[in-house]
Amino acid sequence: MNKNNRFLKFTIDSNDKKTVRKFLVQHKFSSSQLHNLKNKGGLIFVNHKQRHFDFKLKDGDNLLVVLNVEEPSDLIVPMPGKIDVIYEDSYLLVVNKPAGIASLPAKAKDSQTMANLVKAYLIAKKENSSIHLVTRLDRNTSGLMVFAKTSYSHSLLDQILHTEDFQKFYLAMVYGQVEPSEGLIDLPIGIDPRAFYMRNIDHQQGKDSKTLYETVKRYPCASLLKLKLLTGRTHQIRVHLTAIGHPIIGDDMYSKKIDERMPRQALHCYRLNIVHPVTKRLLKLKAPLPQDMVMLDSVLRGEKNG
């Protein structure tokens, strides 16, 4: 069988629907995935015999689904380069994104992005190279980013993205000492009317946005915060921390000041706890603090108050 294919194995139990089609719907296959499975070369085997969607299942049956090969889009051009792989299996790929590189290409831009690098990486491994971005990071935010390897695993990850089964933790170095030292920032975020690429707090039309924060280190004039995203709005952490009066060091877009100590926002996605949607194993993934934030930490520790 083609190496690009992905296999899913199930054992039928008493709670499962008893035709192949109903079973697959129960296991979160979308109608387009069922269509592709049926019409684009997917295969279904029950107890090692090829079967169709209307086949009747019994308790204890072994079901093997061979997903169809996906045709990668030409919109993302493969670009070889180094990527820091933190975790990989047949379903997902987690990479540690450096600061200064975008997650996805903007329209009409051919500069290197994480999507271009990941596509080249998958092609080199002779794997399905369709790009399925599950989480993205701003260009100047570093840390863990998740790609799904098939449309099926993408939809499974999407369904848990903003639940406790998919927890995202960040570290940020901010101006000032935050009081109270931990809490929940619950402020709606909307598009800034002055600039479409910026966000602001908008109590009229903004979307519900929640960020948990906890101070993990106090410097004389700054704080290191651990943050947990409960929602996933564009620029959420940057806007929320600015709104409580503690913008991220180096975030000139929101702090409105250039800081020689840090050329980008000191924000890093350092940890993900994901309940794997297929194996149900808890993945605890970490990306170490990048060198520029390690340097900033030592600068902040050495500063005198005032």
Side-chain angles (χ1 to χ4, degrees), residues 116-150:
N116 303 104
L117 293 174
V118 164
K119 186 165 188 173
Y121 171 80
L122 293 171
I123 288 171
K125 294 186 74 184
K126 298 187 166 49
E127 292 200 26
N128 164 37
S129 62
S130 295
I131 292 297
H132 299 282
L133 191 67
V134 180
T135 64
R136 70 178 68 198
L137 295 173
D138 297 342
R139 177 187 290 275
N140 286 323
T141 299
S142 55
L144 296 168
M145 262 184 82
V146 181
F147 291 83
K149 288 198 174 181
T150 64

mmCIF file of all heavy atoms in Angstrom, residues 116-150:
data_model
loop_
_atom_site.group_PDB
_atom_site.id
_atom_site.type_symbol
_atom_site.label_atom_id
_atom_site.label_comp_id
_atom_site.label_asym_id
_atom_site.label_seq_id
_atom_site.Cartn_x
_atom_site.Cartn_y
_atom_site.Cartn_z
ATOM 1 N N ASN A 116 5.752 26.476 4.606
ATOM 2 C CA ASN A 116 6.638 26.098 3.495
ATOM 3 C C ASN A 116 7.702 25.101 3.955
ATOM 4 O O ASN A 116 8.017 24.133 3.255
ATOM 5 C CB ASN A 116 7.353 27.330 2.922
ATOM 6 C CG ASN A 116 6.396 28.404 2.452
ATOM 7 O OD1 ASN A 116 6.226 29.411 3.123
ATOM 8 N ND2 ASN A 116 5.764 28.198 1.317
ATOM 9 N N LEU A 117 8.273 25.349 5.129
ATOM 10 C CA LEU A 117 9.320 24.463 5.660
ATOM 11 C C LEU A 117 8.761 23.077 5.989
ATOM 12 O O LEU A 117 9.383 22.056 5.686
ATOM 13 C CB LEU A 117 9.935 25.078 6.927
ATOM 14 C CG LEU A 117 10.737 26.371 6.746
ATOM 15 C CD1 LEU A 117 11.148 26.933 8.101
ATOM 16 C CD2 LEU A 117 11.975 26.132 5.897
ATOM 17 N N VAL A 118 7.571 23.066 6.615
ATOM 18 C CA VAL A 118 6.959 21.783 6.993
ATOM 19 C C VAL A 118 6.593 20.987 5.740
ATOM 20 O O VAL A 118 6.762 19.763 5.694
ATOM 21 C CB VAL A 118 5.736 22.011 7.925
ATOM 22 C CG1 VAL A 118 4.865 20.769 8.020
ATOM 23 C CG2 VAL A 118 6.217 22.426 9.316
ATOM 24 N N LYS A 119 6.111 21.679 4.709
ATOM 25 C CA LYS A 119 5.760 20.970 3.466
ATOM 26 C C LYS A 119 6.997 20.281 2.871
ATOM 27 O O LYS A 119 6.951 19.112 2.478
ATOM 28 C CB LYS A 119 5.152 21.940 2.455
ATOM 29 C CG LYS A 119 4.629 21.225 1.212
ATOM 30 C CD LYS A 119 3.718 22.122 0.410
ATOM 31 C CE LYS A 119 3.054 21.347 -0.717
ATOM 32 N NZ LYS A 119 2.040 22.153 -1.391
ATOM 33 N N ALA A 120 8.118 21.000 2.834
ATOM 34 C CA ALA A 120 9.359 20.410 2.308
ATOM 35 C C ALA A 120 9.804 19.232 3.174
ATOM 36 O O ALA A 120 10.264 18.197 2.652
ATOM 37 C CB ALA A 120 10.455 21.469 2.254
ATOM 38 N N TYR A 121 9.657 19.369 4.470
ATOM 39 C CA TYR A 121 10.037 18.301 5.407
ATOM 40 C C TYR A 121 9.204 17.035 5.149
ATOM 41 O O TYR A 121 9.742 15.922 5.102
ATOM 42 C CB TYR A 121 9.822 18.823 6.840
ATOM 43 C CG TYR A 121 9.971 17.790 7.933
ATOM 44 C CD1 TYR A 121 11.231 17.411 8.395
ATOM 45 C CD2 TYR A 121 8.855 17.210 8.529
ATOM 46 C CE1 TYR A 121 11.375 16.473 9.413
ATOM 47 C CE2 TYR A 121 8.984 16.277 9.550
ATOM 48 C CZ TYR A 121 10.250 15.905 9.980
ATOM 49 O OH TYR A 121 10.382 14.979 10.986
ATOM 50 N N LEU A 122 7.893 17.211 4.946
ATOM 51 C CA LEU A 122 7.013 16.050 4.714
ATOM 52 C C LEU A 122 7.290 15.402 3.355
ATOM 53 O O LEU A 122 7.261 14.183 3.225
ATOM 54 C CB LEU A 122 5.541 16.480 4.822
ATOM 55 C CG LEU A 122 5.086 16.900 6.227
ATOM 56 C CD1 LEU A 122 3.690 17.523 6.180
ATOM 57 C CD2 LEU A 122 5.109 15.724 7.206
ATOM 58 N N ILE A 123 7.578 16.234 2.356
ATOM 59 C CA ILE A 123 7.902 15.688 1.029
ATOM 60 C C ILE A 123 9.192 14.859 1.114
ATOM 61 O O ILE A 123 9.287 13.759 0.556
ATOM 62 C CB ILE A 123 8.039 16.819 -0.017
ATOM 63 C CG1 ILE A 123 6.652 17.410 -0.331
ATOM 64 C CG2 ILE A 123 8.708 16.319 -1.297
ATOM 65 C CD1 ILE A 123 6.680 18.665 -1.171
ATOM 66 N N ALA A 124 10.192 15.368 1.843
ATOM 67 C CA ALA A 124 11.465 14.652 1.993
ATOM 68 C C ALA A 124 11.253 13.295 2.661
ATOM 69 O O ALA A 124 11.975 12.332 2.389
ATOM 70 C CB ALA A 124 12.450 15.499 2.787
ATOM 71 N N LYS A 125 10.240 13.210 3.534
ATOM 72 C CA LYS A 125 9.945 11.942 4.213
ATOM 73 C C LYS A 125 8.974 11.071 3.406
ATOM 74 O O LYS A 125 8.530 10.031 3.882
ATOM 75 C CB LYS A 125 9.314 12.223 5.587
ATOM 76 C CG LYS A 125 10.254 12.898 6.563
ATOM 77 C CD LYS A 125 9.606 13.017 7.929
ATOM 78 C CE LYS A 125 9.580 11.643 8.586
ATOM 79 N NZ LYS A 125 8.876 11.652 9.872
ATOM 80 N N LYS A 126 8.614 11.564 2.205
ATOM 81 C CA LYS A 126 7.656 10.861 1.328
ATOM 82 C C LYS A 126 6.302 10.649 2.021
ATOM 83 O O LYS A 126 5.670 9.602 1.899
ATOM 84 C CB LYS A 126 8.232 9.532 0.838
ATOM 85 C CG LYS A 126 9.491 9.727 -0.005
ATOM 86 C CD LYS A 126 9.959 8.439 -0.616
ATOM 87 C CE LYS A 126 10.977 8.652 -1.721
ATOM 88 N NZ LYS A 126 12.078 9.541 -1.392
ATOM 89 N N GLU A 127 5.882 11.690 2.760
ATOM 90 C CA GLU A 127 4.580 11.630 3.434
ATOM 91 C C GLU A 127 3.599 12.559 2.741
ATOM 92 O O GLU A 127 3.980 13.405 1.932
ATOM 93 C CB GLU A 127 4.732 12.042 4.903
ATOM 94 C CG GLU A 127 5.520 11.039 5.715
ATOM 95 C CD GLU A 127 5.272 11.182 7.204
ATOM 96 O OE1 GLU A 127 4.192 11.679 7.595
ATOM 97 O OE2 GLU A 127 6.154 10.805 7.978
ATOM 98 N N ASN A 128 2.314 12.414 3.104
ATOM 99 C CA ASN A 128 1.290 13.336 2.621
ATOM 100 C C ASN A 128 1.719 14.760 2.967
ATOM 101 O O ASN A 128 1.962 15.065 4.129
ATOM 102 C CB ASN A 128 -0.039 12.981 3.311
ATOM 103 C CG ASN A 128 -1.061 14.094 3.174
ATOM 104 O OD1 ASN A 128 -1.143 14.744 2.140
ATOM 105 N ND2 ASN A 128 -1.829 14.318 4.223
ATOM 106 N N SER A 129 1.828 15.617 1.955
ATOM 107 C CA SER A 129 2.365 16.961 2.225
ATOM 108 C C SER A 129 1.290 18.051 2.189
ATOM 109 O O SER A 129 1.596 19.224 2.012
ATOM 110 C CB SER A 129 3.481 17.293 1.228
ATOM 111 O OG SER A 129 2.973 17.309 -0.084
ATOM 112 N N SER A 130 0.014 17.650 2.339
ATOM 113 C CA SER A 130 -1.028 18.678 2.522
ATOM 114 C C SER A 130 -0.789 19.360 3.861
ATOM 115 O O SER A 130 -0.520 18.687 4.856
ATOM 116 C CB SER A 130 -2.415 18.040 2.539
ATOM 117 O OG SER A 130 -2.692 17.470 1.291
ATOM 118 N N ILE A 131 -0.886 20.679 3.874
ATOM 119 C CA ILE A 131 -0.610 21.411 5.114
ATOM 120 C C ILE A 131 -1.917 21.628 5.879
ATOM 121 O O ILE A 131 -2.870 22.200 5.355
ATOM 122 C CB ILE A 131 0.068 22.769 4.795
ATOM 123 C CG1 ILE A 131 1.481 22.520 4.238
ATOM 124 C CG2 ILE A 131 0.138 23.664 6.022
ATOM 125 C CD1 ILE A 131 2.445 21.837 5.187
ATOM 126 N N HIS A 132 -1.949 21.148 7.115
ATOM 127 C CA HIS A 132 -3.107 21.324 7.998
ATOM 128 C C HIS A 132 -2.625 22.012 9.271
ATOM 129 O O HIS A 132 -2.132 21.364 10.192
ATOM 130 C CB HIS A 132 -3.731 19.966 8.349
ATOM 131 C CG HIS A 132 -4.244 19.206 7.173
ATOM 132 N ND1 HIS A 132 -5.441 19.512 6.556
ATOM 133 C CD2 HIS A 132 -3.728 18.160 6.480
ATOM 134 C CE1 HIS A 132 -5.639 18.668 5.549
ATOM 135 N NE2 HIS A 132 -4.618 17.848 5.489
ATOM 136 N N LEU A 133 -2.744 23.327 9.294
ATOM 137 C CA LEU A 133 -2.266 24.098 10.442
ATOM 138 C C LEU A 133 -3.321 24.076 11.546
ATOM 139 O O LEU A 133 -4.456 24.489 11.328
ATOM 140 C CB LEU A 133 -2.004 25.540 9.988
ATOM 141 C CG LEU A 133 -1.266 26.440 10.962
ATOM 142 C CD1 LEU A 133 0.163 25.960 11.136
ATOM 143 C CD2 LEU A 133 -1.263 27.873 10.458
ATOM 144 N N VAL A 134 -2.956 23.568 12.719
ATOM 145 C CA VAL A 134 -3.908 23.481 13.834
ATOM 146 C C VAL A 134 -3.787 24.713 14.732
ATOM 147 O O VAL A 134 -4.781 25.288 15.162
ATOM 148 C CB VAL A 134 -3.678 22.189 14.653
ATOM 149 C CG1 VAL A 134 -4.675 22.090 15.814
ATOM 150 C CG2 VAL A 134 -3.801 20.964 13.753
ATOM 151 N N THR A 135 -2.560 25.111 15.053
ATOM 152 C CA THR A 135 -2.350 26.338 15.844
ATOM 153 C C THR A 135 -1.346 27.206 15.104
ATOM 154 O O THR A 135 -0.437 26.688 14.448
ATOM 155 C CB THR A 135 -1.788 26.031 17.256
ATOM 156 O OG1 THR A 135 -0.488 25.447 17.130
ATOM 157 C CG2 THR A 135 -2.706 25.090 18.025
ATOM 158 N N ARG A 136 -1.515 28.510 15.197
ATOM 159 C CA ARG A 136 -0.549 29.405 14.568
ATOM 160 C C ARG A 136 0.003 30.369 15.617
ATOM 161 O O ARG A 136 -0.620 30.592 16.658
ATOM 162 C CB ARG A 136 -1.169 30.170 13.401
ATOM 163 C CG ARG A 136 -2.191 31.219 13.810
ATOM 164 C CD ARG A 136 -2.709 31.963 12.593
ATOM 165 N NE ARG A 136 -3.517 31.126 11.737
ATOM 166 C CZ ARG A 136 -3.787 31.420 10.461
ATOM 167 N NH1 ARG A 136 -3.297 32.498 9.906
ATOM 168 N NH2 ARG A 136 -4.561 30.628 9.756
ATOM 169 N N LEU A 137 1.160 30.922 15.314
ATOM 170 C CA LEU A 137 1.767 31.924 16.198
ATOM 171 C C LEU A 137 2.076 33.163 15.369
ATOM 172 O O LEU A 137 2.390 33.067 14.173
ATOM 173 C CB LEU A 137 3.078 31.389 16.800
ATOM 174 C CG LEU A 137 2.979 30.191 17.749
ATOM 175 C CD1 LEU A 137 4.376 29.690 18.122
ATOM 176 C CD2 LEU A 137 2.196 30.538 19.014
ATOM 177 N N ASP A 138 2.016 34.337 16.006
ATOM 178 C CA ASP A 138 2.422 35.570 15.327
ATOM 179 C C ASP A 138 3.879 35.439 14.877
ATOM 180 O O ASP A 138 4.672 34.717 15.492
ATOM 181 C CB ASP A 138 2.317 36.771 16.284
ATOM 182 C CG ASP A 138 0.889 37.030 16.737
ATOM 183 O OD1 ASP A 138 -0.047 36.535 16.080
ATOM 184 O OD2 ASP A 138 0.718 37.725 17.762
ATOM 185 N N ARG A 139 4.229 36.183 13.852
ATOM 186 C CA ARG A 139 5.587 36.136 13.291
ATOM 187 C C ARG A 139 6.656 36.272 14.382
ATOM 188 O O ARG A 139 7.644 35.541 14.389
ATOM 189 C CB ARG A 139 5.755 37.262 12.256
ATOM 190 C CG ARG A 139 7.163 37.344 11.677
ATOM 191 C CD ARG A 139 7.304 38.588 10.799
ATOM 192 N NE ARG A 139 6.543 38.442 9.573
ATOM 193 C CZ ARG A 139 6.990 37.826 8.475
ATOM 194 N NH1 ARG A 139 8.187 37.273 8.465
ATOM 195 N NH2 ARG A 139 6.239 37.750 7.405
ATOM 196 N N ASN A 140 6.466 37.202 15.304
ATOM 197 C CA ASN A 140 7.501 37.457 16.308
ATOM 198 C C ASN A 140 7.240 36.798 17.658
ATOM 199 O O ASN A 140 7.822 37.176 18.665
ATOM 200 C CB ASN A 140 7.721 38.966 16.476
ATOM 201 C CG ASN A 140 8.473 39.533 15.278
ATOM 202 O OD1 ASN A 140 9.355 38.873 14.738
ATOM 203 N ND2 ASN A 140 8.116 40.728 14.853
ATOM 204 N N THR A 141 6.366 35.800 17.668
ATOM 205 C CA THR A 141 6.194 34.935 18.844
ATOM 206 C C THR A 141 6.870 33.607 18.526
ATOM 207 O O THR A 141 6.747 33.110 17.414
ATOM 208 C CB THR A 141 4.700 34.711 19.140
ATOM 209 O OG1 THR A 141 4.088 35.981 19.413
ATOM 210 C CG2 THR A 141 4.500 33.807 20.350
ATOM 211 N N SER A 142 7.592 33.063 19.500
ATOM 212 C CA SER A 142 8.276 31.783 19.285
ATOM 213 C C SER A 142 7.515 30.672 19.997
ATOM 214 O O SER A 142 6.629 30.910 20.807
ATOM 215 C CB SER A 142 9.710 31.873 19.822
ATOM 216 O OG SER A 142 9.701 32.270 21.183
ATOM 217 N N GLY A 143 7.893 29.421 19.685
ATOM 218 C CA GLY A 143 7.370 28.312 20.473
ATOM 219 C C GLY A 143 6.624 27.257 19.678
ATOM 220 O O GLY A 143 6.739 27.142 18.455
ATOM 221 N N LEU A 144 5.831 26.485 20.405
ATOM 222 C CA LEU A 144 5.226 25.263 19.869
ATOM 223 C C LEU A 144 4.067 25.550 18.922
ATOM 224 O O LEU A 144 3.173 26.333 19.237
ATOM 225 C CB LEU A 144 4.730 24.396 21.030
ATOM 226 C CG LEU A 144 5.822 23.867 21.966
ATOM 227 C CD1 LEU A 144 5.206 23.281 23.224
ATOM 228 C CD2 LEU A 144 6.688 22.832 21.267
ATOM 229 N N MET A 145 4.115 24.894 17.780
ATOM 230 C CA MET A 145 3.067 24.992 16.763
ATOM 231 C C MET A 145 2.675 23.596 16.335
ATOM 232 O O MET A 145 3.537 22.727 16.187
ATOM 233 C CB MET A 145 3.617 25.704 15.528
ATOM 234 C CG MET A 145 3.320 27.151 15.415
ATOM 235 S SD MET A 145 3.964 27.720 13.826
ATOM 236 C CE MET A 145 2.653 27.223 12.735
ATOM 237 N N VAL A 146 1.378 23.389 16.097
ATOM 238 C CA VAL A 146 0.872 22.043 15.780
ATOM 239 C C VAL A 146 0.354 21.987 14.344
ATOM 240 O O VAL A 146 -0.449 22.823 13.933
ATOM 241 C CB VAL A 146 -0.261 21.645 16.757
ATOM 242 C CG1 VAL A 146 -0.773 20.238 16.439
ATOM 243 C CG2 VAL A 146 0.208 21.724 18.207
ATOM 244 N N PHE A 147 0.828 20.983 13.609
ATOM 245 C CA PHE A 147 0.306 20.663 12.280
ATOM 246 C C PHE A 147 -0.318 19.270 12.343
ATOM 247 O O PHE A 147 0.246 18.370 12.973
ATOM 248 C CB PHE A 147 1.434 20.626 11.242
ATOM 249 C CG PHE A 147 2.036 21.966 10.934
ATOM 250 C CD1 PHE A 147 3.028 22.508 11.739
ATOM 251 C CD2 PHE A 147 1.621 22.698 9.824
ATOM 252 C CE1 PHE A 147 3.602 23.742 11.449
ATOM 253 C CE2 PHE A 147 2.184 23.935 9.536
ATOM 254 C CZ PHE A 147 3.163 24.464 10.350
ATOM 255 N N ALA A 148 -1.472 19.096 11.697
ATOM 256 C CA ALA A 148 -2.057 17.760 11.555
ATOM 257 C C ALA A 148 -1.560 17.175 10.238
ATOM 258 O O ALA A 148 -1.276 17.903 9.293
ATOM 259 C CB ALA A 148 -3.577 17.842 11.556
ATOM 260 N N LYS A 149 -1.457 15.854 10.177
ATOM 261 C CA LYS A 149 -0.931 15.224 8.964
ATOM 262 C C LYS A 149 -2.006 14.813 7.969
ATOM 263 O O LYS A 149 -1.688 14.504 6.824
ATOM 264 C CB LYS A 149 -0.075 14.019 9.345
ATOM 265 C CG LYS A 149 1.252 14.416 9.972
ATOM 266 C CD LYS A 149 2.214 13.261 9.926
ATOM 267 C CE LYS A 149 3.590 13.661 10.407
ATOM 268 N NZ LYS A 149 4.513 12.522 10.334
ATOM 269 N N THR A 150 -3.259 14.759 8.414
ATOM 270 C CA THR A 150 -4.351 14.438 7.486
ATOM 271 C C THR A 150 -5.550 15.308 7.834
ATOM 272 O O THR A 150 -5.627 15.873 8.939
ATOM 273 C CB THR A 150 -4.803 12.958 7.620
ATOM 274 O OG1 THR A 150 -5.334 12.768 8.933
ATOM 275 C CG2 THR A 150 -3.662 11.985 7.379
#
